[in-house]
Amino acid sequence: MIKRNELPTHYNQSPTDYMINKSKKLFERAQESIPGGVNSPVRAFKSVGGTPLFIKWAKGAYLYDEDDNQYIDYIASWGPMILGHAYEPIVKAIQEKVLYSTSFGAPTELEIEMAELIKTMVPNVDLVRMVSSGTEACMSALRLARGYTGRNKFIKFEGCYHGHADAFLVKAGSGMATFNIQTVPGVTVGVSNDTLTCAYNDLEAVQQLARQYKGEIAAIIIEPVVGNMGCILPAPGFLEGLRTICDDEGIVFIFDEVMTGFRLSAGGAQEKLNINADLVTYGKIIGGGMPVGAFGGKKAIMQHIAPLGNVYQAGTLSGNPVAMTAGYTLLKELKNNPAIYTDLDAKTNYLAEGIGKVLSKRGVNFRVNRMGSMISVHFSDHDVVDFDSASKANIPLFNKLFHHMLENGIYLPPSAYESWFLNNALTYDDLDKTIAAFNSFDQY
Ligand SMILES: *Cc1c(COP(=O)(O)O)cnc(C)c1O
């Protein structure tokens, strides 16, 4: 942090207040013309309190706000910046591509290359359709599952987020949990009646729903490793059990890999956990920081999508050349350089162990949940395995820690209900600073 050291000792505002004058002014101004001052709710810092930082630029592992403070970034734009910000090959690819126009509304060779690349990374994808966000990907995959099965209902898990399409806004994790929104005005009862929910990791509850609604369930959609109630891992046998239910009942098994895709491994959670879904949805990393999503799977299901079949789905900017070139460049790098995943794994493990040592020494109740480069710290005396156990952690303590970290130049997700995402530009020095900041916190 640049400015904290310059503070006069008698200065009686909190350092963060002093540090973010420009962000404060921008936030006031933003609220005059943007709902809540932000274009996506979690950015507003409502859960943790205080003023959201307005970011001017970023490079590698560091964010810089409008007041020129530097932060070590543990959000990575919620995942896409897995190799760090302004990653040179991506920047260059975009610069070159943009000269040839930014959109055609007609097919391009690059879209084929993108689809072919995805197929080499995810072997159970025969056909893949590009969209412009994770929301669209999940919404379309659900529609396809319904069209394919001729059934209406589907099962999702409490605390899992699948974007903001109507059907999914039931017990939908981080954003809604942050704002304590349980039912969403604007979503009709008819729509939410078709959304069945179970606790994550509760296989028996799913078995019961499958019996109760036999022949009515089109899909089970799940985050195979959850990132939207903190990082939560599937219990051994849970996903396999769901796979069996889907096979027995003719239910389409959808992995929402918007966070885990190309992050847990080049083949995503499917590869990492060695389990196949029927349909997979992508977002975040797949666009390399541009607005991209995708859904794909076996031909037998995917061929029901228009124009091949009659389940309609479309997008004016789908397969956009600039977005494709960013995503393609990043995916290719991830495919060709497996060391990225071993590096990220080692770094995340180092961080988890470092934080664990500090918190044990300080006598704090905590759980660190992690898989690959997804990690979250819960101030909890019980294991965090589902939404209920995540909510029963000490959330006010996380919120205080969040501000302490900011003051120390470390940018965590602004909610206890979010996974952190490591990027490979992080150095061990950055990780040491982060661990040290856990140690200098005096309010455990
Ligand atoms: C972010 C996210 C989405 C929604 O993606 P958007 O691009 O924000 O629409 C869907 N599913 C999961 C698991 C996500 O994390």
Side-chain angles (χ1 to χ4, degrees):
M1 297 312 280
I2 303 162
K3 297 197 171 164
R4 192 174 187 193
N5 298 338
E6 298 164 9
L7 283 178
T9 45
H10 62 269
Y11 198 80
N12 58 9
Q13 264 182 300
S14 92
T16 9
D17 277 349
Y18 176 79
M19 280 160 32
I20 58 166
N21 278 325
K22 285 190 183 162
S23 281
K24 283 178 125 179
K25 289 201 183 92
L26 288 170
F27 190 45
E28 277 163 29
R29 185 174 140 209
Q31 290 173 79
E32 297 300 316
S33 51
I34 302 171
V38 293
N39 279 315
S40 197
V42 173
R43 293 179 199 167
F45 277 24
K46 277 232 168 132
S47 160
V48 291
T51 304
L53 303 176
F54 280 69
I55 303 300
K56 190 151 67 175
W57 66 291
K59 178 73 189 166
Y62 310 118
L63 293 171
Y64 298 87
D65 69 10
E66 290 283 351
D67 293 275
D68 296 325
N69 299 301
Q70 184 196 70
Y71 304 88
I72 301 171
D73 180 17
Y74 284 100
I75 303 184
S77 186
W78 304 99
M81 301 304 170
I82 186 167
L83 299 183
H85 289 273
Y87 184 66
E88 236 160 76
I90 295 180
V91 172
K92 277 204 184 119
I94 290 174
Q95 282 172 333
E96 282 166 21
K97 200 74 187 172
V98 84
L99 297 173
Y100 296 88
S101 182
T102 51
S103 181
F104 312 113
T108 59
E109 185 177 5
L110 179 56
E111 291 164 87
I112 311 172
E113 286 171 352
M114 182 70 163
E116 288 173 349
L117 177 60
I118 293 167
K119 285 172 62 173
T120 63
M121 298 172 83
V122 192
N124 66 333
V125 166
D126 297 329
L127 294 172
V128 57
R129 172 63 58 83
M130 306 307 301
V131 293
S132 300
S133 67
T135 293
E136 273 184 85
C138 295
M139 178 187 85
S140 308
L142 177 62
R143 182 184 305 140
L144 173 58
R146 285 170 161 167
Y148 171 71
T149 57
R151 304 170 179 178
N152 291 340
K153 294 192 187 299
F154 74 101
I155 297 175
K156 76 174 283 290
F157 296 89
E158 284 168 34
C160 283
Y161 180 66
H162 305 294
H164 64 90
D166 288 6
F168 298 120
L169 290 184
V170 180
K171 301 187 176 174
S174 51
M176 287 167 62
T178 298
F179 300 109
N180 199 21
I181 297 173
Q182 294 309 327
T183 54
V184 177
V187 175
T188 64
V189 174
V191 165
S192 38
N193 277 350
D194 284 331
T195 304
L196 309 171
T197 61
C198 291
Y200 198 82
N201 278 325
D202 188 349
L203 189 58
E204 252 173 54
V206 183
Q207 284 162 339
Q208 197 181 322
L209 280 180
R211 277 194 300 272
Q212 190 178 346
Y213 294 99
K214 197 171 178 62
E216 292 182 65
I217 300 170
I220 295 178
I221 186 167
I222 191 164
E223 289 180 70
V225 173
V226 191
N228 283 294
M229 39 182 163
C231 175
I232 289 183
L233 310 191
F238 177 56
L239 296 173
E240 291 78 3
L242 296 178
R243 178 70 272 178
T244 304
I245 294 171
C246 289
D247 290 340
D248 291 349
E249 303 294 335
I251 295 169
V252 177
F253 197 18
I254 307 173
F255 268 16
D256 178 349
E257 294 229 40
V258 172
M259 274 177 171
T260 55
F262 313 105
R263 172 165 287 277
L264 293 182
S265 73
Q270 290 196 116
E271 180 186 321
K272 179 93 175 175
L273 305 171
N274 190 26
I275 177 164
N276 278 350
D278 300 315
L279 289 177
V280 196
T281 64
Y282 296 108
K284 300 193 168 108
I285 287 180
I286 201 171
M290 299 290 277
V292 179
F295 62 101
K298 283 288 167 209
K299 193 171 173 195
I301 303 178
M302 286 299 290
Q303 69 186 2
H304 291 265
I305 279 285
L308 210 48
N310 54 13
V311 178
Y312 197 69
Q313 188 280 326
T316 303
L317 292 178
S318 297
N320 173 273
V322 182
M324 287 299 100
T325 208
Y328 181 83
T329 306
L330 179 54
L331 293 197
K332 196 139 199 211
E333 185 95 12
L334 294 174
K335 182 192 166 184
N336 292 339
N337 191 356
I340 291 167
Y341 294 103
T342 38
D343 287 355
L344 273 170
D345 208 57
K347 287 175 189 176
T348 315
N349 189 42
Y350 182 86
L351 181 67
E353 285 189 352
I355 292 172
K357 267 185 206 150
V358 166
L359 294 180
S360 302
K361 196 180 73 187
R362 301 290 296 273
V364 192
N365 285 324
F366 74 98
R367 294 291 186 277
V368 176
N369 284 1
R370 143 174 135 80
M371 184 176 282
S373 53
M374 293 170 68
I375 176 173
S376 57
V377 177
H378 304 261
F379 295 113
S380 168
D381 57 6
H382 50 267
D383 289 346
V384 175
V385 297
D386 57 15
F387 185 72
D388 194 48
S389 47
S391 324
K392 286 178 179 147
N394 187 344
I395 302 216
L397 183 57
F398 175 89
N399 294 345
K400 279 186 207 156
L401 173 82
F402 170 83
H403 286 288
H404 168 80
M405 298 305 270
L406 268 193
E407 285 175 24
N408 285 277
I410 293 152
Y411 194 98
L412 299 179
S415 163
Y417 292 105
E418 302 281 2
S419 175
W420 317 352
F421 299 100
L422 269 66
N423 70 78
N424 210 25
L426 286 163
T427 63
Y428 281 89
D429 185 47
D430 296 329
L431 302 176
D432 283 336
K433 280 185 184 144
T434 308
I435 294 162
F438 266 85
N439 197 32
S440 63
F441 185 52
D442 57 12
Q443 295 181 62
Y444 291 123

